[in-house]
Amino acid sequence: MSQNRRSRSVQATAAGVESLEARRVDENWTRQTLANRAGVSLDTLERLIKRKNVDRDSVRRLVAALELQPTDIIDPDVWEPLIDPQPYEAVINEKILMSYHNSNFDVAQQLCSQLQAVGQTVFMAGEAVRKSTHWFQQFTDALDRCHCYVLLLSSQAAMSEMMAEEVRQVRERYNTQKQPQIVPIHVGQMAPINSDLSDYLTGLQTWEWRSPTDVPAIVEAIQNPPAEKDLPVILLSDSLALEPELPVGQVPLESTFYIERPPIEAQCYQEIVHPGALIRIKAPRQMGKTSLMARMLDQARKQGYRAVHLSFQLAPSNVLSNVDKLMRWFCLCVSRSLSLPNQLADYWDDIFDGNYNSTSYFEQYLLVATNSPLVIGLDEVDRVFAYPEIANDFFGLLRAWYEKAKYGDRDSDTWKKLRLIVIHSTEVYIPMNLNQSPFNVGLSIELPEFTIEQVQDLTQRYHLDWTLDQIKALMRLVGGHPYLVRVAMYHVAHQAIAFEQVLEQAPTEAGVYSDHLRRHLWNLEQYPELANAFSDVVIAKVPITLRPILAFKLRSLGLVTIVNNHVTPRCELYQQYFSQHLVMDEIE
């Protein structure tokens, strides 16, 4: 890799570490407190203090929390990357970052021309740019300098994992810094949006492009985005998230492409009717956790229960790093999902902590609002793991609520109405008191990969006449990974790509998995230590051992399997692609 790629992570100077520690002590913060306030892991902060490589975004968060500048702790010559004049030259003063799929190139060009005509500068983040060697650095630089992020939404963009990851990072920055403003634009007929992308766009006003006559209004919206308080809350997940065919995000309830994995569904449906039930579902990304939870919530509604789906992807970092804010956010989200008035002011008392207040809010308001049970599906709770002190409080509270249903006192009947579904991708690597953890009680479900019989069933639903040998060949490449299997079938069934071509091009930029693989690569490059660990795994000839936290994180991403503490790539596809794109001694 080039010098440009290595510059994505930086080391603190000795004087910089002293400045950081001095400011932390002045604030009377522990290292854990600083990490929480900055929205980074304690491990990342300690790596910085030990003068090891840390990604630039984490440095920005830490210095912002301490009211310092990056160059106060990083050598200025290192912080300003040594980059080639091309392709970065156009990024230097960009004010608008426009993201689009190549199918919308003409629309993007028209918008760009109109914006330039009124004095705006635009960085065009198209598909070709995303495939470039310097993409991550380009995108980060442009994001640092832009005040507005324009997203052109089409059916092709809705399928893109890279697009979803890009929007996630923009939304996270907006949640913490209130910049850049995000302007989603539907191009042509309003395209269905997968559930991940829908979550990131929830609450944003969207615009439509149907013809060039729409340009003036859109340009005005980009130049002067409506104030947040003026924005109508549009829940895209309600109106646009359902797509019957696209193998991206949650499989819709009415889809014929959902494959049951007996006896899991039956167990979950039976458990959800038990008073005070707690169900834990664990599996790596894209294994079907959210799709299963959606069906459990649907079953609950059919029983006459109230059901709420709450994704922690929607929680800003400044909420996750403060237990009182987190509990207020949690209670208010549940209230709104149930269409109940916000009564926080009546139940929140500053003399008590967030856990006590939220317990009162549930016990005296949410659970007694009707006689029907309340089922809450908590998705993406892994985000809370990054804040150990907060995680202990929050997950300890869930365990306490679960136990309240079993006390046999006058309040037990109220708490029996509550049923919790907790979804997470990785092992719980934070230290927790066994008697206060919700991860060792209730029904535990770990989603397996598809069996060969289930993959055969899926081929029939796609009306594919694959032979058993073809199915085995695909499974040698991607295993029984639900998402990867569906991607191959979707492209063969709907885009007339030959099965042999799918296999031959799979680990290349021309293959059907290129967007998926590049998203993983982008994620890894933001965390050099994780990238180096995975590089060790893919170049090894035999299973290897890693530090537990690194192994757990790689497993949560779905990149590895762990058997008896020995780590191997999850599938041959990852082995082939990442052995070519990750070189251990070049990612620092």
Side-chain angles (χ1 to χ4, degrees):
M1 295 185 185
S2 69
Q3 180 72 21
N4 292 338
R5 292 177 71 85
R6 292 197 295 269
S7 69
R8 294 170 187 171
S9 59
V10 291
Q11 296 176 343
T13 63
V17 171
E18 290 182 6
S19 297
L20 182 150
E21 286 287 73
R23 182 61 64 90
R24 178 183 66 80
V25 171
D26 287 344
E27 296 288 346
N28 198 26
W29 292 345
T30 65
R31 289 182 179 178
Q32 183 65 70
T33 300
L34 171 57
N36 290 346
R37 287 177 175 271
V40 304
S41 69
L42 179 60
D43 181 66
T44 296
L45 173 57
E46 290 181 340
R47 283 180 57 79
L48 183 67
I49 291 171
K50 293 176 183 177
R51 301 185 61 198
K52 294 183 178 180
N53 278 0
V54 171
D55 62 284
R56 289 172 176 266
D57 190 56
S58 293
V59 173
R60 291 185 185 97
R61 290 168 179 256
L62 287 163
V63 297
L66 293 168
E67 298 183 353
L68 295 171
Q69 296 298 318
T71 50
D72 291 332
I73 61 173
I74 308 296
D75 186 322
D77 291 334
V78 174
W79 184 253
E80 295 299 328
L82 298 173
I83 54 179
D84 303 329
Q86 306 290 331
Y88 291 89
E89 191 172 13
V91 185
I92 299 304
N93 293 307
E94 306 307 346
K95 299 300 182 183
I96 295 172
L97 174 56
M98 186 182 302
S99 186
Y100 61 94
H101 187 273
N102 278 355
S103 60
N104 302 131
F105 176 75
D106 290 342
V107 174
Q109 282 287 82
Q110 290 181 55
L111 268 180
C112 181
S113 296
Q114 292 294 319
L115 288 166
Q116 290 174 336
V118 294
Q120 298 286 350
T121 53
V122 183
F123 175 61
M124 304 282 281
E127 190 70 12
V129 177
R130 286 191 195 89
K131 291 183 178 180
S132 70
T133 303
H134 307 295
W135 163 242
F136 175 66
Q137 187 67 56
Q138 284 182 291
F139 178 77
T140 303
D141 287 352
L143 192 56
D144 284 343
R145 295 170 172 84
C146 77
H147 68 77
C148 184
Y149 172 78
V150 178
L151 173 65
L152 301 188
L153 287 168
S154 62
S155 57
Q156 295 90 341
M159 287 185 62
S160 172
E161 287 191 62
M162 281 288 284
M163 190 78 79
E165 176 62 20
E166 183 181 296
V167 176
R168 183 192 69 78
Q169 295 205 20
V170 176
R171 185 60 189 258
E172 177 65 21
R173 185 169 295 209
Y174 176 80
N175 286 342
T176 56
Q177 302 178 13
K178 298 305 178 187
Q179 191 167 303
Q181 294 288 335
I182 304 173
V183 180
I185 301 170
H186 289 279
V187 179
Q189 185 175 1
M190 295 187 81
I193 299 176
N194 76 72
S195 57
D196 286 344
L197 195 54
S198 175
D199 278 348
Y200 305 145
L201 296 177
T202 293
L204 298 178
Q205 182 174 6
T206 61
W207 302 82
E208 293 185 47
W209 171 295
R210 294 188 177 180
S211 73
T213 59
D214 295 318
V215 172
I218 292 175
V219 169
E220 174 64 22
I222 293 172
Q223 286 187 284
N224 302 291
E228 185 178 18
K229 62 180 177 60
D230 297 331
L231 291 181
V233 176
I234 302 174
L235 296 178
L236 297 180
S237 54
D238 290 341
S239 58
L240 299 170
L242 299 182
E243 18 84 355
E245 304 288 341
L246 303 178
V248 181
Q250 176 193 318
V251 181
L253 290 175
E254 70 274 17
S255 173
T256 61
F257 300 103
Y258 181 80
I259 299 292
E260 290 197 352
R261 284 169 267 194
I264 289 174
E265 283 79 6
Q267 284 182 311
C268 292
Y269 299 159
Q270 292 169 9
E271 185 67 19
I272 204 66
V273 302
H274 291 165
L278 190 154
I279 303 172
R280 297 173 285 112
I281 302 174
K282 183 182 78 171
R285 286 190 71 253
Q286 300 179 313
M287 286 289 288
K289 302 183 298 298
T290 303
S291 297
L292 172 59
M293 182 176 69
R295 283 151 179 81
M296 294 168 63
L297 294 175
D298 185 57
Q299 285 290 320
R301 293 186 187 99
K302 290 176 180 177
Q303 296 287 334
Y305 300 171
R306 298 172 293 163
V308 172
H309 171 216
L310 180 57
S311 173
F312 279 77
Q313 284 288 2
L314 300 176
S317 295
N318 65 324
V319 167
L320 292 171
S321 61
N322 181 293
V323 71
D324 190 71
K325 287 184 179 179
L326 176 60
M327 296 318 303
R328 285 176 178 269
W329 176 85
F330 178 52
C331 290
L332 187 53
C333 285
V334 175
S335 298
R336 288 187 173 180
S337 294
L338 297 173
S339 299
L340 292 174
N342 175 3
Q343 300 286 350
L344 287 180
D346 294 338
Y347 294 92
W348 227 263
D349 193 320
D350 291 341
I351 199 171
F352 299 119
D353 64 10
N355 283 5
Y356 186 96
N357 286 325
S358 56
T359 299
S360 298
Y361 194 75
F362 268 75
E363 187 173 86
Q364 300 172 33
Y365 179 46
L366 295 180
L367 292 176
V368 298
T370 71
N371 291 324
S372 63
L374 171 60
V375 183
I376 304 178
L378 303 178
D379 206 354
E380 303 278 2
V381 301
D382 304 71
R383 290 200 65 207
V384 186
F385 295 161
Y387 307 89
E389 292 179 358
I390 308 301
N392 272 285
D393 282 341
F394 178 70
F395 292 122
L397 179 65
L398 298 186
R399 172 65 179 267
W401 289 355
Y402 171 77
E403 298 292 349
K404 276 179 170 288
K406 307 182 185 313
Y407 286 164
D409 59 19
R410 64 180 184 179
D411 296 324
S412 289
D413 287 343
T414 299
W415 286 100
K416 285 178 181 178
K417 293 181 183 179
L418 181 64
R419 292 94 196 266
L420 296 172
I421 307 169
V422 181
I423 307 293
H424 59 111
S425 297
T426 187
E427 281 77 2
V428 183
Y429 53 81
I430 56 173
M432 293 194 71
N433 185 319
L434 291 179
N435 296 319
Q436 297 176 347
S437 171
F439 298 104
N440 56 359
V441 294
L443 175 64
S444 176
I445 298 292
E446 186 158 0
L447 290 182
E449 293 191 342
F450 285 162
T451 65
I452 192 168
E453 292 79 14
Q454 290 163 343
V455 175
Q456 285 179 304
D457 183 3
L458 196 55
T459 62
Q460 294 172 11
R461 301 187 191 201
Y462 274 103
H463 303 292
L464 297 170
D465 58 352
W466 289 0
T467 66
L468 182 60
D469 285 342
Q470 286 178 306
I471 291 173
K472 288 181 177 178
L474 178 64
M475 294 186 74
R476 280 194 296 272
L477 180 69
V478 300
H481 192 294
Y483 171 74
L484 298 179
V485 168
R486 283 195 67 202
V487 166
M489 293 184 183
Y490 174 85
H491 282 84
V492 173
H494 295 275
Q495 298 186 17
I497 296 174
F499 174 81
E500 293 73 20
Q501 189 178 9
V502 171
L503 298 186
E504 290 170 5
Q505 297 181 349
T508 71
E509 293 295 342
V512 299
Y513 296 116
S514 63
D515 190 73
H516 171 79
L517 295 168
R518 282 187 283 116
R519 180 179 186 178
H520 274 309
L521 183 62
W522 190 14
N523 275 325
L524 288 168
E525 289 176 340
Q526 295 173 67
Y527 302 98
E529 187 178 24
L530 206 57
N532 285 340
F534 191 46
S535 178
D536 288 345
V537 173
V538 297
I539 66 175
K541 303 299 183 183
V542 296
I544 66 171
T545 58
L546 296 173
R547 287 171 50 206
I549 192 170
L550 295 176
F552 292 160
K553 287 180 178 180
L554 288 172
R555 185 184 184 281
S556 74
L557 292 172
L559 291 172
V560 303
T561 56
I562 306 173
V563 179
N564 296 327
N565 295 326
H566 289 90
V567 184
T568 57
R570 171 166 286 276
C571 60
E572 181 63 26
L573 173 66
Y574 294 162
Q575 175 83 50
Q576 292 179 21
Y577 180 83
F578 290 105
S579 63
Q580 296 296 316
H581 290 80
L582 289 178
V583 180
M584 180 176 61
D585 61 359
E586 291 185 337
I587 300 180
E588 299 176 356

